[in-house]
Amino acid sequence: MKKVTIGIDIGGTNTVFGFVDKEGNILAENAITTQDYAKVEDYLDALVAKINESYDKVKTDIEVLAIGIGAPNGNYHKGTIEYAPNLVWGNYEVQLAKMMKERINYPVFVTNDANAAAIGEMVFGAAKGLKDFLFITLGTGVGSGIVANGELIYGHDAFAGEVGHVIVEKDGRECNCGRNGCLETYASATGLRRTVYELMGKTNLPSKLRDIPFTELTAKKVSEAADEGDKLAIATYEYTAEKLGFALANSLAYTSPKSVFLFGGLANAGKLIFEPTKKYMNKYALKIYQNNVDVVPSGLTGNAAIVGASALAWNELDN
Amino acid sequence: MKKVTIGIDIGGTNTVFGFVDKEGNILAENAITTQDYAKVEDYLDALVAKINESYDKVKTDIEVLAIGIGAPNGNYHKGTIEYAPNLVWGNYEVQLAKMMKERINYPVFVTNDANAAAIGEMVFGAAKGLKDFLFITLGTGVGSGIVANGELIYGHDAFAGEVGHVIVEKDGRECNCGRNGCLETYASATGLRRTVYELMGKTNLPSKLRDIPFTELTAKKVSEAADEGDKLAIATYEYTAEKLGFALANSLAYTSPKSVFLFGGLANAGKLIFEPTKKYMNKYALKIYQNNVDVVPSGLTGNAAIVGASALAWNELDN
């Protein structure tokens, strides 16, 4: 009997889950559509039915020990989802762990997706054995998980690790959070696009991207253009990296990490983003941190969201 | 027999020490002049001689369990002082804990003064029972200690908690660290003075401070003027608080503390600094942190440096 935990990642559109062993292998996985349900009760009934369906296929081989859930605004301390506007059934305080346990009786642990991924990095990924690191997801938004003294920092109210909402420009871009200049407005896929169009206005740099309307531009098109030497696209990465490097430099002064792991769409641009980010981080960092902190790609493979949520549960079982 | 730890605070000018019980009472204290010694060996010989002298007076009542030392660039992991330019005998890697133990055989723990004071706040002060808080010293410079999950964050290389060197203005004031715009250049006693003179140039605000040369102005004179309604002095606190509040707002996004404790000369200005700092912190903070985090004076009393260093040792004995 192989011991496993169930990792569940709740997204606004889909929910994915898998049975994950202690080496991070996904033995079975499946998904349901999050937004098909108006009420959390119906959503959880459907999710548990789908989990049981997968379980029936593998149950002779596995023993389930616990469930880890990554969810928007997931609160580790309370086991709740706290007012998640992206979830059609979840824009209030949802007693997620409690309701889950009523339907499927294993220990249930909840946090947000970036924290779960950070724990995934520690348990299964490139941060194995590291006691102090930053994990940053550069996706549609910017999320983060901070590990110090070998533990994820949840903070007083479980809202720690919001590096995406550190203000890097006091009167900068409008953020969805209602403030201005958050890192997320620059160093996300959305931020990258905003930069392309700002630079179209500010500079005369020639670019094939000038033929593409704002609403049709993807991060992938920007990285492809940059790979082909497109000057505006390259300048866009440089600009993005300056903001990200600055934020990272300031971040080092809090927890003095050994490494910074970058994950997600923007990180997939490889050295286009890593090289200038390292350059600016070292430029802005206090001397004691300069050239002393690694900025490296995440080592998470496969479905990182499932593996991260599973790692949350594994990590709790180990502590 | 009362159990005590010895708290030692090494400053550039003086070294103070005391025998401190578990309630934070200093049973005996004394000092030597740090800068009287060219070599660390001679300095430590003299310090230990002075400690033994004090010990002889109280030894029938006490049992010493350990020694805690707060020192500039004190490295917790290595028990060293790392290249402290302010110490005449210490601008290299000084094996402080090892050399101390050779002279007086108790367990020895070392960190920097701000970290020691943060632990003092947790063990003896206003942070008792808190698992997540920030401790900021607003003195000649700005230091900090960060506690998360009930533990001081030392970080990978023991250099965590340098909030004074977070850049709050990218092209801001020249800092002693060689960079520009660090919080320390605004929110320290020195920063306060720089602001007074910048505002003399930028504004036409009337002020009695205009009669005082730069080199003669003290933080105390600024707070006295502000208390009397001096417009420039009041504007100086407002300006200082805007930078400090901004830095604190960004700080919340890392460790989500329950409370921020302010300590040191500038904090002694009371509501002149606390009120506007809270206002700006809440203005710049992500909504989830707004009006949710206390900004309060340190609860450390007596000789906070000695008590903090002693608390470091008590905290280690308890863990």
Side-chain angles (χ1 to χ4, degrees):
Chain A
M1 297 282 274
K2 198 154 213 175
K3 290 178 166 58
V4 300
T5 67
I6 303 175
I8 303 174
D9 180 70
I10 302 178
T13 311
N14 293 306
T15 296
V16 293
F17 67 87
F19 296 82
V20 183
D21 70 16
K22 204 163 180 181
E23 283 69 50
N25 304 304
I26 301 178
L27 306 181
E29 63 179 289
N30 214 326
I32 70 166
T33 307
T34 312
Q35 62 192 7
D36 275 359
Y37 306 89
K39 287 172 62 187
V40 63
E41 289 81 2
D42 299 338
Y43 162 77
L44 289 177
D45 287 345
L47 175 60
V48 169
K50 189 67 89 174
I51 289 173
N52 284 332
E53 195 182 292
S54 294
Y55 177 68
D56 285 340
K57 292 180 194 152
V58 286
K59 68 179 171 187
T60 53
D61 302 321
I62 65 166
E63 180 192 355
V64 176
L65 301 183
I67 295 175
I69 306 179
N73 297 9
N75 184 315
Y76 172 80
H77 295 318
K78 292 157 78 179
T80 54
I81 291 174
E82 305 270 321
Y83 304 89
N86 294 339
L87 299 176
V88 286
W89 45 260
N91 197 7
Y92 67 104
E93 186 177 280
V94 179
Q95 301 293 325
L96 183 66
K98 182 171 165 286
M99 296 177 79
M100 196 72 190
K101 271 180 74 80
E102 287 166 2
R103 288 165 172 78
I104 182 168
N105 192 18
Y106 298 115
V108 178
F109 305 99
V110 178
T111 190
N112 71 43
D113 49 352
N115 282 346
I119 296 174
E121 196 74 52
M122 180 166 60
V123 174
F124 298 128
K128 269 185 203 168
L130 285 190
K131 290 200 163 303
D132 299 278
F133 67 90
L134 289 186
F135 178 90
I136 316 258
T137 65
L138 307 169
T140 316
V142 172
S144 68
I146 303 173
V147 170
N149 290 349
E151 294 179 2
L152 192 97
I153 297 180
Y154 290 107
H156 164 58
D157 50 12
F159 292 135
E162 287 290 351
V163 178
H165 290 286
V166 162
I167 294 174
V168 294
E169 289 292 340
K170 223 179 246 176
D171 299 306
R173 293 178 181 168
E174 288 180 7
C175 185
N176 291 333
C177 76
R179 300 177 306 151
N180 287 79
C182 294
L183 177 63
E184 174 164 301
T185 67
Y186 298 96
S188 59
T190 331
L192 192 79
R193 181 163 66 174
R194 292 169 83 161
T195 299
V196 167
Y197 290 85
E198 273 198 21
L199 291 182
M200 282 186 197
K202 278 191 187 159
T203 75
N204 287 320
L205 290 171
S207 175
K208 60 189 285 192
L209 303 178
R210 290 185 187 269
D211 297 328
I212 305 175
F214 183 90
T215 46
E216 286 176 22
L217 186 70
T218 60
K220 190 151 176 281
K221 286 180 188 168
V222 185
S223 80
E224 283 169 359
D227 281 336
E228 292 163 13
D230 187 284
K231 287 203 165 66
L232 186 91
I234 291 168
T236 294
Y237 281 101
E238 187 81 9
Y239 182 95
T240 305
E242 195 268 344
K243 304 295 187 205
L244 179 57
F246 176 71
L248 292 181
N250 273 349
S251 299
L252 305 182
Y254 290 91
T255 59
S256 186
K258 168 87 173 68
S259 302
V260 178
F261 297 95
L262 302 184
F263 177 84
L266 199 51
N268 294 339
K271 71 178 184 183
L272 276 175
I273 187 75
F274 278 89
E275 293 307 317
T277 297
K278 280 187 246 189
K279 177 182 76 181
Y280 285 110
M281 184 185 84
N282 286 317
K283 174 186 166 187
Y284 289 120
L286 189 59
K287 190 168 269 178
I288 49 176
Y289 307 121
Q290 279 170 16
N291 304 305
N292 205 13
V293 181
D294 304 323
V295 182
V296 288
S298 165
L300 287 177
T301 52
N303 191 321
I306 292 175
V307 166
S310 155
L312 167 66
W314 277 118
N315 195 49
E316 292 292 328
L317 295 170
D318 282 348
N319 290 339
Chain B
M1 297 284 273
K2 198 156 213 173
K3 291 179 163 60
V4 302
T5 67
I6 302 175
I8 304 173
D9 180 69
I10 302 178
T13 310
N14 292 304
T15 296
V16 293
F17 67 88
F19 296 83
V20 183
D21 70 16
K22 206 164 178 179
E23 284 68 50
N25 303 304
I26 301 179
L27 307 182
E29 63 180 289
N30 213 327
I32 69 167
T33 306
T34 312
Q35 62 191 9
D36 275 358
Y37 307 88
K39 288 173 61 187
V40 64
E41 289 82 1
D42 299 336
Y43 162 77
L44 289 177
D45 287 345
L47 174 60
V48 169
K50 188 68 92 175
I51 289 173
N52 284 333
E53 196 181 292
S54 294
Y55 177 67
D56 285 339
K57 291 181 196 154
V58 287
K59 69 180 172 187
T60 53
D61 303 321
I62 64 166
E63 180 192 355
V64 175
L65 301 182
I67 295 174
I69 306 179
N73 296 8
N75 185 314
Y76 171 80
H77 295 319
K78 294 157 78 180
T80 53
I81 291 175
E82 305 269 323
Y83 304 88
N86 294 339
L87 299 176
V88 284
W89 45 260
N91 198 6
Y92 67 106
E93 187 178 281
V94 179
Q95 300 293 325
L96 183 67
K98 181 169 163 288
M99 296 177 77
M100 196 72 190
K101 270 177 74 80
E102 286 165 3
R103 287 163 174 79
I104 181 168
N105 193 19
Y106 298 115
V108 177
F109 306 99
V110 177
T111 190
N112 70 44
D113 48 353
N115 283 346
I119 296 174
E121 196 73 51
M122 178 166 61
V123 173
F124 299 128
K128 270 185 202 166
L130 285 189
K131 290 199 164 304
D132 300 277
F133 68 90
L134 289 186
F135 178 90
I136 317 259
T137 65
L138 306 169
T140 314
V142 173
S144 68
I146 303 174
V147 170
N149 290 349
E151 293 178 3
L152 193 99
I153 298 180
Y154 290 107
H156 164 58
D157 49 13
F159 293 136
E162 288 289 351
V163 178
H165 291 285
V166 162
I167 294 174
V168 293
E169 289 292 338
K170 222 178 246 175
D171 298 307
R173 294 179 181 168
E174 288 179 6
C175 185
N176 291 332
C177 76
R179 301 176 307 150
N180 287 79
C182 295
L183 177 62
E184 174 164 300
T185 67
Y186 298 97
S188 59
T190 331
L192 193 78
R193 181 163 65 175
R194 293 169 83 160
T195 299
V196 167
Y197 290 86
E198 273 198 22
L199 291 182
M200 282 186 197
K202 278 192 188 159
T203 74
N204 286 319
L205 290 171
S207 176
K208 60 189 285 189
L209 303 177
R210 290 186 187 268
D211 298 327
I212 305 174
F214 183 91
T215 45
E216 287 175 22
L217 187 70
T218 60
K220 190 149 176 281
K221 286 180 187 167
V222 186
S223 79
E224 284 169 357
D227 281 335
E228 292 164 11
D230 187 285
K231 286 204 167 66
L232 187 92
I234 292 169
T236 295
Y237 281 102
E238 187 80 12
Y239 183 95
T240 305
E242 196 268 344
K243 304 296 186 204
L244 179 57
F246 176 72
L248 291 181
N250 273 350
S251 299
L252 305 182
Y254 290 90
T255 59
S256 185
K258 169 86 172 67
S259 302
V260 178
F261 296 95
L262 302 183
F263 177 83
L266 200 51
N268 294 339
K271 70 179 185 183
L272 276 174
I273 188 75
F274 278 89
E275 293 307 317
T277 298
K278 281 187 243 187
K279 177 182 75 182
Y280 285 110
M281 184 185 86
N282 286 317
K283 174 187 165 184
Y284 288 120
L286 189 59
K287 189 168 270 179
I288 48 174
Y289 307 122
Q290 280 170 17
N291 305 305
N292 205 12
V293 181
D294 303 323
V295 182
V296 287
S298 164
L300 287 176
T301 51
N303 192 322
I306 292 176
V307 166
S310 155
L312 167 66
W314 278 118
N315 194 49
E316 292 293 326
L317 294 171
D318 282 347
N319 291 338

